[in-house]
C-alpha cells in the first residue's frame, strides 16, 4: 500500500493492491498519521493576494498597489503592480494578468529554443497541473504551467528548453540531456534546484 497527501493538504489517498480492503486502507492511513501531519506542515500556507501585499512575478516580489478609483488594467513596474477596479475581483484579475504575461513570455521562449534546435515554433497551451511543469505530446504540442511566470526567468526558460528537447528526443536518454545542455544558456542544475525548493510555493496564491 502507498499513501499520498493531496496537493491541497486536506485529504490523503491510499493505493491498494487488488486484495486490499477499505478497512486495511483506513488502518494503514491512521498508522501514518504522524507522517501525514509532517507532510501537511510542509505545504505552503494559502495567501490570497491583497492590497498592500506582494505578488511574485518573474522572480521578484512586487507590491500590490490597488485603489478602486484607478482603471482596472494592471500596470507593472520593477517594484509594484498597480491596478484599480472592484476589490472583490482583485484575485481573478491578477490571475488573468499573470496568465496573459505567461502566454507572451512562453511564446518568445518557444520561438527562441525552437530556433536553436532547428525546429518550427510549436503550438502551445497553458496548464494548471499541480504535478507537472510542462509536457510535450507526440505531435509536438507543448503544455506549460502558467505559474512559471512567477519564477525567475532562467527557471521558466529551463522548462521550455526541456520540452523543446523532448520534441527531438521523446525520452530522457543521454542524447536528450546532451541536447538540453546545448539548448539552455544558463545554469541548468541551479534552475532545477530552485524549482524543486520553491515550486510548491507557486501554488499558494491562486487556485
Amino acid at each position: 500500500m502507498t499513501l499520498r497527501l493531496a496537493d491541497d493538504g486536506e485529504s490523503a489517498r491510499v493505493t491498494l493492491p487488488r486484495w486490499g480492503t477499505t478497512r486495511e486502507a483506513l488502518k494503514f492511513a491512521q498508522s501514518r498519521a504522524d507522517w501525514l501531519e509532517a507532510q501537511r506542515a510542509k505545504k505552503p500556507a494559502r495567501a490570497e493576494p491583497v492590497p498592500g501585499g506582494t505578488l511574485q512575478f518573474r522572480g521578484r516580489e512586487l507590491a500590490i498597489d490597488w485603489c478602486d478609483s484607478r482603471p482596472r488594467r494592471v500596470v507593472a513596474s520593477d517594484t509594484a503592480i498597480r491596478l484599480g477596479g472592484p476589490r472583490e475581483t482583485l484575485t481573478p484579475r491578477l490571475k488573468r494578468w499573470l496568465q496573459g504575461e505567461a502566454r507572451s513570455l512562453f511564446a518568445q521562449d518557444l520561438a527562441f529554443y525552437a530556433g536553436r534546435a532547428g525546429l518550427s515554433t510549436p503550438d502551445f497551451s497553458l496548464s494548471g497541473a499541480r504535478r507537472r511543469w510542462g509536457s510535450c505530446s507526440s505531435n509536438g504540442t507543448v503544455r506549460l504551467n502558467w505559474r512559471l511566470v512567477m519564477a525567475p526567468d532562467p527557471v521558466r526558460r529551463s522548462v521550455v528548453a526541456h520540452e523543446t528537447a523532448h520534441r527531438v528526443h521523446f525520452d530522457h536518454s543521454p542524447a536528450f540531456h546532451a541536447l538540453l545542455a546545448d539548448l539552455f544558456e544558463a545554469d541548468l542544475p541551479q534552475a532545477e534546484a530552485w524549482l524543486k525548493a520553491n515550486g510548491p510555493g507557486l501554488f499558494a496564491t491562486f487556485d
Side-chain angles (χ1 to χ4, degrees), residues 30-108:
Q30 290 167 351
S31 73
R32 301 295 190 276
D34 290 345
W35 179 86
L36 283 171
E37 193 58 39
Q39 296 305 303
R40 286 190 65 186
K42 294 178 183 178
K43 293 285 184 181
R46 292 286 299 163
E48 182 175 311
V50 295
T54 61
L55 185 68
Q56 291 187 69
F57 178 60
R58 299 180 71 174
R60 304 190 302 274
E61 291 284 340
L62 302 185
I64 301 174
D65 183 0
W66 171 83
C67 179
D68 60 355
S69 62
R70 289 198 191 115
R72 294 173 179 241
R73 180 172 175 268
V74 176
V75 178
S77 69
D78 289 340
T79 59
I81 296 173
R82 295 180 174 84
L83 75 163
R87 169 64 181 86
E88 61 270 19
T89 63
L90 179 69
T91 296
R93 286 187 290 119
L94 285 173
K95 181 177 179 179
R96 287 195 297 271
W97 176 75
L98 284 173
Q99 290 174 332
E101 293 295 308
R103 189 176 295 279
S104 176
L105 289 167
F106 284 147
Q108 297 172 43

Side-chain angles (χ1 to χ4, degrees), residues 7-8 46 128-133 145 147 203 206-207:
D7 291 314
D8 61 7
R46 292 286 299 163
R130 287 184 173 271
R131 295 190 178 277
R132 303 188 74 176
W133 295 110
N145 197 306
R147 287 178 173 83
F203 292 90
F206 300 98
D207 294 328

Side-chain angles (χ1 to χ4, degrees), residues 13-207:
R13 172 177 292 182
V14 179
T15 303
L16 297 171
R18 291 182 179 179
W19 47 261
T21 66
T22 301
R23 179 178 295 180
E24 289 172 325
L26 288 172
K27 184 177 180 180
F28 177 67
Q30 290 167 351
S31 73
R32 301 295 190 276
D34 290 345
W35 179 86
L36 283 171
E37 193 58 39
Q39 296 305 303
R40 286 190 65 186
K42 294 178 183 178
K43 293 285 184 181
R46 292 286 299 163
E48 182 175 311
V50 295
T54 61
L55 185 68
Q56 291 187 69
F57 178 60
R58 299 180 71 174
R60 304 190 302 274
E61 291 284 340
L62 302 185
I64 301 174
D65 183 0
W66 171 83
C67 179
D68 60 355
S69 62
R70 289 198 191 115
R72 294 173 179 241
R73 180 172 175 268
V74 176
V75 178
S77 69
D78 289 340
T79 59
I81 296 173
R82 295 180 174 84
L83 75 163
R87 169 64 181 86
E88 61 270 19
T89 63
L90 179 69
T91 296
R93 286 187 290 119
L94 285 173
K95 181 177 179 179
R96 287 195 297 271
W97 176 75
L98 284 173
Q99 290 174 332
E101 293 295 308
R103 189 176 295 279
S104 176
L105 289 167
F106 284 147
Q108 297 172 43
D109 297 339
L110 285 165
F112 175 82
Y113 289 117
R116 295 194 74 167
L119 303 169
S120 60
T121 302
D123 293 329
F124 77 98
S125 61
L126 300 184
S127 164
R130 287 184 173 271
R131 295 190 178 277
R132 303 188 74 176
W133 295 110
S135 63
C136 178
S137 68
S138 57
N139 66 7
T141 300
V142 174
R143 287 174 58 81
L144 297 162
N145 197 306
W146 66 267
R147 287 178 173 83
L148 287 167
V149 76
M150 295 188 276
D153 288 350
V155 175
R156 182 195 75 248
R157 287 172 64 85
S158 73
V159 175
V160 180
H162 185 107
E163 300 309 326
T164 300
H166 273 316
R167 296 180 63 202
V168 179
H169 302 288
F170 209 62
D171 53 30
H172 288 101
S173 63
F176 163 83
H177 288 290
L179 176 59
L180 176 56
D182 187 55
L183 290 176
F184 188 56
E185 72 281 8
D187 188 324
L188 187 59
Q190 185 178 68
E192 292 174 340
W194 189 98
L195 198 55
K196 183 176 180 180
N198 301 284
L202 301 183
F203 292 90
T205 307
F206 300 98
D207 294 328

